């Protein structure tokens, strides 16, 4: 017997190019679906206003929102930039913190049991109630946005990452042991890659609430971000501007979510 | 340069729900340097436990194990042990060649064969860049064998490596494994629950009995090498199979069941 018999045909395995093309096709289809769905929603919105004679001080027309978006773009853009910076820095920081804590929890059950109740306490304290304290600590600038984003988004990442690190394939761990691997080698070559899908599940959950948390922080601190802009537009009855802010916030939150999905795809193979 | 394995009066107790179970009771064995040995026995006889103690995955309760002149812990840390699990245990995000490269990445040692040469040795050339999920069970186990051989291990320990494969694939893999073993000069220990596999592969078949795990018999297999599948039909082969079977079922045969 010379060659192995139990071989499928190597040429059946898709090449890198074929895989990329498949993915691109899927991406194009997703964009088309999204644009069509958006067009339908905007159309229904406009039709409802016209047919039910809804007054512009209740709901503005899509056109007026678009006009506000165009006219007030410098203001909106600056506010968005401010909020986005806080959101992304907050998410980055909470991801790093959560991974460090999850690693510690994997190393020692004792640490997990001692620290977890404290973290749950911080997470469940209503942000509104601890706002004065937070403002005292972090001031009224970008720092408090980052702090609130971290408080809200830290927990889902931590829980998922811990679960990911602990659910490593037992055989793979035994293999690394027999191969004489160090703890660090096992962590980076086996535990972390096995945990990546779980970590990204947490990150996706955190990403969607990240922008909202940053805006919440601005409502407390009055910092010049998108949250404050929306609040002020509402109190001055500038409904088109307010809705322009809301649409912008939704779009950006979606973009952040899509970004985490893209990152997951490129990292988890 | 070849290394023997000595098992000296090894016992292993496990604590399960406050009661103790004696998995292995006073087993002494020597696996000669460069030999191919098989451990066979019913489930619960401690054959996998013994293999995992040689690999320093678990420690014996009493007794000692020597790989050459060193305890298993030292052999493991000097990357002298190649281990093939029942499941291939490949890292699913790594390609075939990257899975074979793994042991090299974990040490500053280099094997005499390159990862490419090892993939070729186990007959998988052309599949270097395939992911484990794209391979059949037999092919995955070939990768696991190539990985176990990556750093020229002095001992090659295999825990029912072909147990999950169908009969036909398993017999072909047996022939392949003998060819690979012959080219690598390692001391091989194979845990199996298939009598024909044990006799076909080994120089010596060690039969273990269960509850507690004890060494029941060591049967020398004096069949010539290289061994081919035609051997399975010979009288000598059948006689040795019967000898192993008699040792395995000694109690039942004696009591007439």
């Amino acid at each position: 017997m010379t060659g192995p018999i139990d071989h499928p045909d190597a040429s059946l395995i898709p090449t890198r190019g074929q895989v990329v093309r498949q993915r691109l096709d899927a991406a194009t289809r997703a964009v088309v679906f999204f644009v069509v769905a958006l067009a339908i929603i905007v159309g229904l919105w406009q039709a409802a206003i016209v047919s039910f004679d809804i007054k512009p001080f209740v709901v503005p027309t899509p056109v007026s929102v678009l006009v506000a978006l165009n006219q007030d773009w410098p203001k909106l853009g600056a506010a968005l930039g401010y909020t986005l910076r806080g959101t992304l820095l907050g998410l980055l920081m909470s991801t790093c913190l959560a991974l460090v804590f999850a690693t510690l929890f994997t190393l020692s059950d004792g640490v997990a049991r001692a620290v977890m109740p404290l973290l749950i306490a911080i997470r469940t304290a209503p942000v509104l109630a601890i706002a004065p304290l937070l403002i005292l600590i972090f001031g009224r600038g970008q720092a408090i946005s980052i702090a609130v984003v971290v408080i809200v988004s830290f927990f889902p990442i931590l829980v998922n990452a811990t679960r990911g690190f602990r659910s490593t394939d037992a055989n793979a761990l035994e293999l690394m042991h027999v191969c004489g691997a160090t703890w660090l080698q096992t962590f980076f070559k086996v535990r972390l890659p096995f945990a990546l899908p779980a970590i990204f599940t947490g990150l996706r959950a955190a990403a969607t609430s990240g922008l909202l948390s940053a805006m919440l922080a601005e409502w407390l601190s009055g910092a010049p971000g998108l949250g404050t802009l929306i609040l002020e537009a509402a109190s001055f009855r500038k409904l088109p501007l307010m809705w322009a802010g809301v649409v912008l916030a939704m779009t950006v939150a979606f973009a952040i979510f899509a970004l985490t999905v893209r990152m997951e795809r490129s990292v988890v193979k | 340069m070849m290394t023997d394995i000595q098992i000296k009066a090894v016992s292993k107790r496990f604590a399960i729900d406050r009661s103790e179970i004696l998995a292995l009771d006073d087993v002494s064995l020597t696996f000669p340097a460069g030999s191919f040995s098989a451990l066979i026995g019913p489930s619960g006889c401690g054959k996998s436990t013994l293999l995992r103690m040689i690999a320093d995955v678990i420690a014996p309760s009493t007794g000692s194990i020597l790989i050459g002149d060193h305890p298993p812990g030292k052999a493991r840390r000097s990357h002298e042990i190649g281990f093939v699990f029942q499941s291939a245990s490949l890292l699913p995000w790594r390609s075939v060649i990257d899975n074979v490269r793994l042991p090299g990445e974990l040490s500053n040692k280099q094997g005499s064969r390159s990862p490419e040469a090892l993939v070729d040795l186990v007959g998988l050339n052309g599949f270097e860049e395939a992911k484990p999920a794209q391979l059949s069970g037999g092919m995955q186990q070939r990768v696991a064998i190539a990985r176990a051989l990556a750093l020229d291990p002095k001992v090659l320990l295999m825990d029912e490596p072909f147990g999950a494969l169908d009969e036909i694939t398993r017999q072909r893999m047996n022939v392949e494994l003998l060819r690979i073993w012959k080219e690598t000069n390692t001391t091989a220990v194979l845990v199996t629950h298939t009598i024909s596999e044990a006799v076909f592969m080994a120089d010596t078949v060690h039969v273990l009995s269960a509850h507690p795990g004890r060494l029941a018999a060591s049967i020398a297999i004096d069949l010539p090498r290289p061994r081919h599948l035609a051997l399975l039909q010979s009288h000598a082969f059948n006689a040795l199979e019967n000898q192993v079977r008699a040792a395995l079922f000694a109690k039942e045969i004696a009591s007439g069941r």
Side-chain angles (χ1 to χ4, degrees), chain A residues 1-2 4-10 13-14 171-172 174-181 185 189-190 193-194 269, chain B residues 52 56-57 76 79 81 83 85 87 89 93 105-106 123-124 127 130 134 136 138-139 142 147 169 172 176 229:
Chain A
M1 195 140 334
T2 51
I5 311 299
D6 53 331
H7 279 187
D9 189 354
I13 296 172
N171 277 324
E174 200 162 291
L175 167 78
M176 294 299 277
H177 176 81
V178 174
C179 287
Q185 286 173 329
K189 287 187 188 295
V190 173
F194 265 114
K269 283 172 208 145
Chain B
R52 290 149 78 94
D56 190 41
V57 176
R76 177 179 66 80
H79 313 280
I81 298 172
F83 202 105
F85 298 87
S87 73
S89 305
W93 56 87
E105 293 171 17
L106 301 175
L124 283 181
F127 288 88
Q134 296 167 319
S136 70
M139 294 166 78
R142 286 171 194 273
R147 180 181 61 193
T169 310
R172 284 175 178 147
E176 290 274 308
L229 285 175

Side-chain angles (χ1 to χ4, degrees), chain A residues 162-177:
Chain A
T162 307
R163 187 173 53 83
F165 285 144
R166 285 188 176 163
S167 62
T168 313
D169 184 40
N171 277 324
L173 291 179
E174 200 162 291
L175 167 78
M176 294 299 277
H177 176 81

